[in-house]
Amino acid sequence: MASDPMNVTPRLSIRHLTKRFGNMLANDDISLDVMPGQLHCLLGENGAGKSTLSSCLYGLYKPDGGEIRVDGTVVHLRSPGDAIRAGIGMVHQHFVLVPGFTVLENVTVGTGSGWRLDRADALARINDICTTYGISLDPHRLVGDLSVGEQQWVEIVKALYTGARLLILDEPTAVLTPDESQRLFRVIERLTGVGLSVILISHKMAEVMQSDQVSVLRKGRLVGTVLTADVNREQLTTMMVGRSISPPVRKEGAANSGKAVLCVHELTRLRDGRPALDRVSLDIGEGEIVGIAGVSGNGQDELFECLAGIARPDGGSIAIDGETLDEQSPAAMAAKGVGYVPSDRFRDGLVAELDIAENLVLGQHWQPRWRRGPFMERTKLEANAREAIGGYSIAASGPSAVCRKLSGGNAQKVILSREFAKARRVLLCNQPTRGLDVGAIEFVHRELLRKRDEGCAVLLASEELEDLFALCRRICVMFRGRILAVLEADNTTTDEVGRLMAGQENETAA
């Protein structure tokens, strides 16, 4: 990436920026510079203040104090429109696109003069942007027909079309294949090469290490800004969490007997008349972690929902400890010792308006141990919650803390505590580290290995290939509802898995 010449006006200069939410200080006196042509990474734990800072820069929040300058000029960003006019663009983790509009319409919406849009001029500008930065997009295709990776290109082209000189990318590779991620960083290199500045928000150290500078936030404060070339991953991790992190060690669990616990045969699930799951078969042994690799939307959610009893398959069978299951409801699966950690923690894993004590017994609240006659026994619920809060290091005021107020990492710990306790035979984990910082990820890894060593059969889906290679003996690659291959982690590479994730079958395909 580009170097930082001396005596050049910063593209972005933040001085003493402060943002409060009630009594909580989300950003505390933050000052930093981003230079022209620089890839600048924002790094920090969940709740460290990265999203708040980027929202202030994009006009979504108004700072309570401090100053923001763009190319030396003080700007007052009261809305995203103000940010765009100041030359700031942002690509959110959850895209803001209209599926029924074409690429051209999504890029140009709101940018015409009055009621008119010069389509020929807009097409020429879009094609020029794509040619300049090596982006492949058909302006006439519907966005709803594009892959997730192609939709991200639309967001980036839209920001460039509006004249962005500073581009903020929030977890841009969370939904990309490894090959798509590499293409994204090639485009970023072209952007910075012509003087644009990029702020990258990422939890992935391999991406962080490709930046020019890293600003580390902890508990709302700036710990420091360093040249990436002067530090290593371990030093950045220590700056971020205040301690060193130990990577997981994959070794055979003591309880790995080779006995098959979960057997799935020809499992099929239709959606809109087409197979979202297409004859999926797999076995998981006692004390084994099996991984599922795949870009989001390729059947992982449907597979986990069927195995958890939330959705009924349209064909195939599920067996636990040799017994084929006739009834496949959440209660029936829980009774068989199945725990399920869903991919969307707030939509599927928690009732956000309930407190920690109540969420910890969801699905079990009818059991006599939690009741006194027809009523829930609050004393028992709170005792259970205090044990979980201590055992899982949940940062909360106590059992009565409402779950919608928890950070993503702490909300995930509530789910893990509940579901790991249920998982006596099978543990289903769908994206358990999605959006988590390295400290929370280390905790999840440690708990997964603990359940494996207790003899559980663990099915782990993750978009983070590092997770799968670190924890799993076998990796199943899913594409369009099918398992394309089952690979031994010791005998494959991330490149091979990445090709299969993109649907490129080879001789290893099952």
Side-chain angles (χ1 to χ4, degrees):
M1 302 295 174
S3 60
D4 299 342
M6 301 297 289
N7 64 13
V8 173
T9 302
R11 173 60 37 80
L12 173 72
S13 183
I14 303 170
R15 289 293 176 270
H16 308 294
L17 188 143
T18 298
K19 178 62 183 175
R20 294 181 178 87
F21 297 99
N23 294 326
M24 185 184 74
L25 198 54
N27 288 151
D28 185 2
D29 193 35
I30 292 176
S31 297
L32 61 87
D33 292 332
V34 179
M35 305 305 293
Q38 184 182 73
L39 175 57
H40 195 112
C41 182
L42 278 183
L43 183 64
E45 294 184 271
N46 297 112
K50 306 183 301 297
S51 295
T52 300
L53 179 58
S54 62
S55 293
C56 289
L57 296 176
Y58 196 58
L60 294 169
Y61 295 151
K62 182 182 177 182
D64 295 305
E67 180 181 87
I68 300 171
R69 291 177 179 261
V70 176
D71 291 323
T73 301
V74 175
V75 294
H76 302 283
L77 307 174
R78 300 177 181 87
S79 69
D82 288 343
I84 290 168
R85 284 186 286 274
I88 300 173
M90 184 169 181
V91 177
H92 301 269
Q93 190 171 352
H94 302 289
F95 305 145
V96 187
L97 299 170
V98 182
F101 283 11
T102 64
V103 170
L104 170 66
E105 291 164 339
N106 269 280
V107 168
T108 59
V109 64
T111 63
S113 176
W115 293 96
R116 294 181 58 79
L117 173 70
D118 187 333
R119 292 178 63 89
D121 178 67
L123 276 171
R125 287 178 60 193
I126 291 171
N127 286 327
D128 184 55
I129 289 168
C130 290
T131 300
T132 299
Y133 300 111
I135 298 171
S136 179
L137 272 180
D138 180 353
H140 302 292
R141 286 188 68 190
L142 290 176
V143 162
D145 293 335
L146 301 180
S147 69
V148 176
E150 289 170 323
Q151 289 181 28
Q152 188 169 77
W153 295 131
V154 178
E155 289 276 28
I156 291 173
V157 170
K158 183 174 183 177
L160 297 174
Y161 184 89
T162 58
R165 303 187 301 280
L166 170 69
L167 186 61
I168 303 170
L169 301 177
D170 186 3
E171 299 284 352
T173 64
V175 293
L176 302 183
T177 67
D179 186 55
E180 288 172 329
S181 297
Q182 291 173 11
R183 287 203 298 272
L184 173 64
F185 273 84
R186 287 196 293 270
V187 170
I188 291 173
E189 191 166 8
R190 292 191 182 191
L191 292 170
T192 56
V194 296
L196 274 80
S197 303
V198 178
I199 293 177
L200 172 70
I201 302 172
S202 178
H203 288 115
K204 302 178 182 180
M205 281 296 176
E207 296 173 3
V208 173
M209 297 307 295
Q210 295 182 59
S211 65
D212 298 305
Q213 280 192 315
V214 183
S215 289
V216 181
L217 301 181
R218 191 196 309 164
K219 296 180 180 179
R221 295 188 63 86
L222 181 69
V223 176
T225 296
V226 295
L227 290 172
T228 313
D230 292 343
V231 293
N232 57 36
R233 296 185 185 201
E234 291 71 25
Q235 290 169 315
L236 286 174
T237 298
T238 301
M239 288 178 68
M240 179 169 57
V241 301
R243 60 184 176 85
S244 60
I245 295 291
S246 301
V249 178
R250 178 173 58 83
K251 57 184 179 181
E252 293 299 326
N256 190 337
S257 65
K259 172 188 173 184
V261 175
L262 176 67
C263 298
V264 179
H265 181 68
E266 298 281 316
L267 204 64
T268 300
R269 169 77 174 167
L270 300 178
R271 178 163 290 176
D272 299 325
R274 290 183 291 185
L277 272 186
D278 190 1
R279 293 170 295 150
V280 168
S281 297
L282 62 91
D283 295 340
I284 308 177
E286 191 172 51
E288 181 186 22
I289 303 177
V290 171
I292 298 285
V295 177
S296 178
N298 278 280
Q300 302 97 313
D301 287 351
E302 288 80 3
L303 173 61
F304 278 85
E305 287 169 0
C306 287
L307 295 178
I310 294 170
R312 289 193 64 83
D314 294 294
S317 63
I318 302 169
I320 295 176
D321 287 324
E323 179 185 351
T324 300
L325 305 180
D326 296 321
E327 183 186 356
Q328 292 165 15
S329 66
M333 300 306 274
K336 287 289 183 183
V338 178
Y340 170 48
V341 179
S343 60
D344 190 321
R345 58 185 71 102
F346 283 109
R347 186 191 69 191
D348 301 321
L350 296 170
V351 178
E353 296 303 321
L354 296 183
D355 63 27
I356 292 175
E358 294 162 332
N359 269 287
L360 283 169
V361 297
L362 281 181
Q364 307 166 69
H365 54 277
W366 48 268
Q367 294 180 358
R369 61 178 172 146
W370 305 121
R371 309 189 73 88
R372 177 176 291 173
F375 302 105
M376 301 289 289
E377 189 165 359
R378 185 70 193 183
T379 302
K380 290 185 177 179
L381 296 187
E382 292 192 355
N384 177 63
R386 280 191 290 271
E387 184 177 346
I389 288 169
Y392 281 75
S393 301
I394 299 169
S397 58
S400 298
V402 177
C403 282
R404 67 176 168 80
K405 296 184 177 180
L406 299 178
S407 71
N410 287 301
Q412 188 75 329
K413 288 179 179 181
V414 173
I415 299 171
L416 293 173
S417 176
R418 183 186 67 222
E419 298 303 321
F420 280 33
K422 287 163 57 178
R424 302 183 308 277
R425 296 303 291 148
V426 177
L427 177 59
L428 309 170
C429 284
N430 191 0
Q431 313 300 335
T433 62
R434 176 182 279 164
L436 301 187
D437 59 72
V438 293
I441 289 171
E442 179 198 37
F443 176 85
V444 174
H445 286 173
R446 191 168 64 243
E447 291 302 295
L448 286 168
L449 292 172
R450 179 177 67 82
K451 291 305 293 185
R452 180 204 66 179
D453 290 344
E454 289 177 1
C456 265
V458 181
L459 183 64
L460 170 65
S462 179
E463 289 154 6
E464 307 296 336
L465 293 185
E466 288 183 3
D467 282 4
L468 300 182
F469 276 85
L471 296 167
C472 305
R473 184 171 65 85
R474 292 183 293 147
I475 299 173
C476 305
V477 186
M478 290 193 72
F479 180 74
R480 293 181 180 173
R482 294 175 54 214
I483 291 182
L484 292 190
V486 180
L487 306 170
E488 294 286 335
D490 289 337
N491 298 322
T492 188
T493 63
T494 56
D495 286 344
E496 182 178 12
V497 173
R499 286 194 299 272
L500 288 163
M501 287 170 64
Q504 301 173 24
E505 295 187 67
N506 58 21
E507 68 275 5
T508 64

